[in-house]
Amino acid sequence: MTGWAPATLLILLLATACAGLAHVLLGKRWRQLPVFWLTACVGCLLAYGLGWRFPLDLPTPAGIPVLEAVLLAWILLIVVSRLRV
């Protein structure tokens, strides 16, 4: 795994943690877990790609706005959990 950038690993870690917790709290079936994981990845990538940042002086490890990425991932996860999957 020497070729992976730190930002990629951090996004995958955040998305996996958010998706796992969302599945425990909001999930009903096992087939929702991959959907939750993809949704969390999209949320984290959107926050990173758009450069969405609150006007707070928070650290951004590897250039990832962690708070914003987690919040956007959770917003999308709540929307997706309400859909019939």
Side-chain angles (χ1 to χ4, degrees):
M1 290 184 47
T2 60
W4 290 48
T8 305
L9 291 175
L10 186 58
I11 285 176
L12 288 175
L13 179 68
L14 288 173
T16 302
C18 289
L21 186 60
H23 188 264
V24 167
L25 297 175
L26 305 171
K28 295 179 180 133
R29 292 178 216 96
W30 279 104
R31 65 180 171 183
Q32 288 177 321
L33 186 58
V35 174
F36 283 173
W37 188 78
L38 286 173
T39 303
C41 283
V42 167
C44 290
L45 285 172
L46 277 175
Y48 177 63
L50 296 175
W52 185 44
R53 291 196 175 34
F54 288 137
L56 302 171
D57 191 25
L58 298 174
T60 55
I64 305 291
V66 176
L67 177 65
E68 293 86 349
V70 170
L71 283 176
L72 190 55
W74 271 99
I75 289 169
L76 292 178
L77 282 166
I78 289 171
V79 169
V80 166
S81 73
R82 301 297 173 218
L83 300 174
R84 290 190 174 237
V85 178

